[in-house]
C-alpha cells in the first residue's frame, strides 16, 4: 500500500511460499481472499509478473472450489473443516470478490460477490434490544 517499491519482492515471496501441489487447498478462505486482495491491489500499481498466475489460481479457488451449496464460502477446499466456515471467510471473501470485480470488470466475481452479500444479509438476525 506504500510506494509499491517492494511489490516485485513480495509477489516473488508469495510464489515461493505457494510451491507444491495444490498449495491453496490447505489455506482458509480468508487467507485465499487476502492473496486476491493483495494481488489485485498490487496489479493496480503496474504489472505483477508471476503474480498474475497466482491471482488466477486464487480467483478460481474462490469462485469454483470454495462456494458451498449453502451459498457461503467454505472454510477450506477439503477436509472436515470445509463445512464450518466463519465470518472472516465470508467477509474477506466478499471483499476480495468485489475488488476483483471492480478492477477487472469480472462478471463472475461480481455475481459471486452479489450472491454472497445477499446470503449474508438474508442470514442476518434481527437486532436485539
Amino acid at each position: 500500500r506504500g510506494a509499491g517499491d517492494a511489490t516485485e519482492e513480495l509477489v516473488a515471496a508469495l510464489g515461493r511460499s505457494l510451491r507444491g501441489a495444490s498449495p491453496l487447498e490447505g489455506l482458509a478462505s480468508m487467507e485465499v481472499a487476502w492473496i486476491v486482495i493483495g494481488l489485485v491491489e498490487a496489479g493496480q500499481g503496474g504489472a505483477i509478473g508471476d503474480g498474475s498466475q497466482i491471482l488466477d489460481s486464487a480467483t478460481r479457488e474462490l469462485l469454483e472450489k470454495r462456494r458451498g451449496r449453502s451459498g457461503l464460502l467454505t472454510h477450506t477446499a477439503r477436509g472436515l473443516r470445509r463445512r464450518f466456515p466463519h465470518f472472516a471467510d465470508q467477509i474477506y471473501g466478499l471483499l476480495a470478490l468485489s475488488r476483483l470485480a471492480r478492477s477487472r470488470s469480472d462478471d463472475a466475481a461480481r455475481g459471486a460477490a452479489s450472491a454472497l452479500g445477499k446470503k449474508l444479509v438474508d442470514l442476518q438476525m434481527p437486532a436485539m434490544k
Side-chain angles (χ1 to χ4, degrees), residues 26 32 34 37 47-48 62-63 67 74 79 93-94 110 116 118:
V32 176
W34 291 338
I37 292 166
I48 55 173
L62 288 177
L63 289 174
R67 291 177 72 190
T74 61
L94 178 60
R110 183 174 288 106
L116 179 56
K118 182 178 180 340

Side-chain angles (χ1 to χ4, degrees), residues 72-86:
L72 297 174
L73 294 173
T74 61
H75 181 64
T76 57
R78 308 200 234 170
L80 296 175
R81 262 314 255 133
R82 176 180 171 78
R83 296 181 348 186
F84 301 106
H86 47 68

Side-chain angles (χ1 to χ4, degrees), residues 7-77:
T7 300
E8 211 173 289
E9 180 183 333
L10 291 169
V11 170
L14 177 62
R16 287 190 300 275
S17 71
L18 293 177
R19 286 204 174 113
S22 305
L24 297 172
E25 278 188 2
L27 299 177
S29 289
M30 71 175 175
E31 294 168 318
V32 176
W34 291 338
I35 290 170
V36 170
I37 292 166
L39 290 172
V40 164
E41 193 152 315
Q44 290 175 345
I48 55 173
D50 292 340
S52 292
Q53 293 172 336
I54 299 168
L55 178 57
D56 290 343
S57 294
T59 298
R60 274 193 310 278
E61 189 79 17
L62 288 177
L63 289 174
E64 297 168 15
K65 296 180 182 177
R66 303 292 177 116
R67 291 177 72 190
R69 283 183 265 156
S70 68
L72 297 174
L73 294 173
T74 61
H75 181 64
T76 57

